[in-house]
Amino acid sequence: MARSAERAPDPARGLVIMDNWPGYDLNLFTYPQHYYNDLEYVLIPHGIIVDRIERLAKDIMQDLGCCDLMILCVLKGGYKFCADLVEHLKNISRNSDRCVSMKVDFIRLKSYKNDQSTDQMQIMGGEDLSTLAGKNVLIVEDLVGTGKTMRALLSSIEKHKPNMIKVASLLVKRTPRSDGFKPDYAGFEIPNLFVVGYALDYNEYFRDLNHICVINEHGKEKYRV
C-alpha cells in the first residue's frame, strides 16, 4: 500500500490512495460468507482503518483539546468511525495533560439511492439543531463525496450560531462531481469508487463487513432496490 499511496501531511486529505492502487486480494482476509460473490477487493483493511483513526484522534486533540465538544455523528455509516474516534479521544484525554469534555448526539442524512448520490438531502433524528448554539461542534461523517450534503448540513447548523464547527470524515472521494469541499480532518482520500464496509452500506447491506471493500456489479445488482 505504501508504494501506491502518497504521504499527505494535509489533514483535509489524509492518507491518499492513488487511482492505480490494486487493493488486496479478498482471499487474504476473513469476511462474512454471504458476501463472497459480491466484492471486488479489499481497499483498506480493518487494522489500517483503526490505526489511522487513532492518529486522527491525536490530531483533533492537539487542535481542540481542553474544550467542551459536542460530537454530532452522522448515521448510519458514521457510527463505527465515531465510536472508535471517541474511544481514542477518551484514551488520549485520560493519559495526557490535554482533556476534552464530550457529548455525543446522532443525526441521519439521506442522499443515496443504490450507488448514486441524489440532489435531495433529508435530515432525520437528533435533537433540535438550535441546541448547538454557542457549542463547539465536531461533525463525524463516514464519507464526503460531492460535498453537497455536508455543505447543506453545515448551512443548517450555522443558522444557530455555534461557537465552532469542524468536520471529520473517514473517507474523502475524488470525484469529478465534487464541489471542492474538504473536511478539517480526513482519514483517507480514495479514488472514485463505490465502497462498502466498516458501516458503509449499499442499500443497508455490508455494514457488518469490517474492511472497506469495493463492491462488484454482481453485488450491486443483487441488492439493488
Side-chain angles (χ1 to χ4, degrees), residues 159-177:
K159 294 176 182 177
H160 301 289
K161 296 181 169 46
N163 180 56
M164 176 197 73
I165 310 177
K166 298 287 187 178
V167 178
S169 182
L170 179 61
L171 304 175
V172 177
K173 186 182 294 188
R174 289 191 302 277
T175 168
R177 299 180 60 202

Side-chain angles (χ1 to χ4, degrees), residues 21-22 34 44 47 52 54 57 92 110 112-113 129 141 144 156 163-164 170 174 179 181 183 188 199 204 213 221:
W21 169 239
H34 45 274
I44 312 173
R52 179 69 187 123
E54 184 176 8
I92 295 171
K110 184 76 171 177
Y112 267 86
K113 182 175 182 180
L129 293 179
E141 170 70 292
V144 170
S156 297
N163 180 56
M164 176 197 73
L170 179 61
R174 289 191 302 277
D179 65 0
F181 176 82
F188 304 87
E204 298 300 327
C213 299
E221 188 59 35

Side-chain angles (χ1 to χ4, degrees), residues 4-197:
S4 297
E6 300 172 357
R7 289 192 62 191
D10 181 358
R13 296 191 74 190
L15 176 63
V16 179
I17 300 176
M18 304 303 289
D19 289 345
N20 63 349
W21 169 239
Y24 296 94
D25 192 304
L26 289 161
N27 292 322
L28 296 172
F29 301 90
T30 58
Y31 59 99
Q33 293 188 12
H34 45 274
Y35 297 140
Y36 269 22
N37 296 315
D38 305 326
L39 302 168
E40 288 284 351
Y41 55 86
V42 175
L43 183 69
I44 312 173
H46 180 256
I48 295 177
I49 298 169
V50 174
D51 284 356
R52 179 69 187 123
I53 294 173
E54 184 176 8
R55 177 59 202 224
L56 282 181
K58 182 178 179 180
D59 292 342
I60 291 169
M61 186 65 77
Q62 286 177 341
D63 291 346
L64 308 180
C66 297
C67 73
D68 295 330
L69 194 61
M70 172 58 75
I71 295 177
L72 191 60
C73 175
V74 179
L75 297 174
K76 297 180 182 177
Y79 80 85
K80 287 185 68 114
F81 174 38
C82 185
D84 284 346
L85 182 64
V86 167
E87 190 61 32
H88 284 305
L89 287 170
K90 286 163 53 180
N91 288 338
I92 295 171
S93 185
R94 282 196 297 263
N95 296 290
S96 74
D97 58 355
R98 299 184 68 80
C99 60
V100 59
S101 172
M102 292 177 291
K103 293 182 179 179
V104 182
D105 196 8
F106 302 90
I107 193 169
R108 187 178 178 193
L109 307 179
K110 184 76 171 177
S111 63
Y112 267 86
K113 182 175 182 180
N114 294 318
D115 60 346
Q116 298 298 316
S117 177
T118 67
D119 292 330
Q120 296 182 336
M121 184 199 66
Q122 296 174 282
I123 300 177
M124 296 170 281
E127 296 182 7
D128 185 346
L129 293 179
S130 65
T131 62
L132 300 177
K135 302 288 182 62
N136 299 310
V137 181
L138 176 66
I139 300 172
V140 178
E141 170 70 292
D142 57 348
L143 183 148
V144 170
T146 65
K148 293 179 181 178
T149 299
M150 185 52 63
R151 285 192 191 277
L153 176 59
L154 288 171
S155 178
S156 297
I157 294 175
E158 286 167 353
K159 294 176 182 177
H160 301 289
K161 296 181 169 46
N163 180 56
M164 176 197 73
I165 310 177
K166 298 287 187 178
V167 178
S169 182
L170 179 61
L171 304 175
V172 177
K173 186 182 294 188
R174 289 191 302 277
T175 168
R177 299 180 60 202
S178 173
D179 65 0
F181 176 82
K182 297 292 184 184
D184 300 283
Y185 309 97
F188 304 87
E189 182 181 288
I190 66 172
N192 189 24
L193 301 166
F194 194 90
V195 293
V196 294

